[in-house]
Amino acid sequence: MTGQPPDLAALQRRLVEFAAARDWEPFHTPKNLAAALSVEAAELLEIFQWLTPEQASAVMADPGSAHRVRDEVADVLAYLLQFCAVLEVDVLAALAAKIDRNEERFPRVDRTRGPSAGPAGG
């Protein structure tokens, strides 16, 4: 191993191979994967549910909490990558296109107007 993290495509292939080796493909339908993704995102949210903003910002300072956060982030990403594999969605291309649309939809803030100026054109 080179010490370099695997790329996204390699991780996605590994997840597909993992599921195939266990005959899980019949269960990896878009609906089931979307549901699993939602559950894992809720488990990530659960870590922060009753924390103050200050506590939430410091969650990674505690090794136990940091481990839980990393595990849930991994679960969310794993299900998202599996979902995209099943539907043949290029996750990076989809994200780039969405960022492009958001940059058009939400213009940059004019910092010369000051923080209390409100939305541009509003």
Side-chain angles (χ1 to χ4, degrees):
M1 190 120 193
T2 65
Q4 294 293 326
D7 65 23
L8 204 55
L11 289 171
Q12 192 170 34
R13 283 189 304 275
R14 189 171 169 196
L15 288 165
V16 168
E17 291 166 3
F18 181 89
R22 288 150 183 83
D23 293 326
W24 290 350
E25 292 142 319
F27 308 103
H28 283 197
T29 64
K31 178 192 75 73
N32 288 351
L33 290 168
L37 175 59
S38 175
V39 169
E40 295 301 338
E43 289 178 6
L44 178 61
L45 175 60
E46 184 179 31
I47 297 167
F48 297 90
Q49 185 173 9
W50 303 112
L51 300 182
T52 65
E54 295 79 19
Q55 291 168 324
S57 294
V59 75
M60 298 306 284
D62 174 65
S65 296
H67 178 72
R68 289 180 59 211
V69 168
R70 283 191 296 272
D71 275 357
E72 295 308 332
V73 165
D75 288 342
V76 168
L77 183 57
Y79 277 117
L80 179 60
L81 291 175
Q82 291 173 85
F83 177 84
C84 290
V86 166
L87 291 180
E88 298 181 0
V89 172
D90 180 332
V91 66
L92 295 179
L95 178 57
K98 181 65 174 185
I99 292 170
D100 289 345
R101 286 192 304 278
N102 282 344
E103 286 176 339
E104 289 179 23
R105 189 171 167 207
F106 304 104
R108 289 180 182 261
V109 173
D110 181 359
R111 301 222 185 267
T112 62
R113 294 173 24 155
S116 61

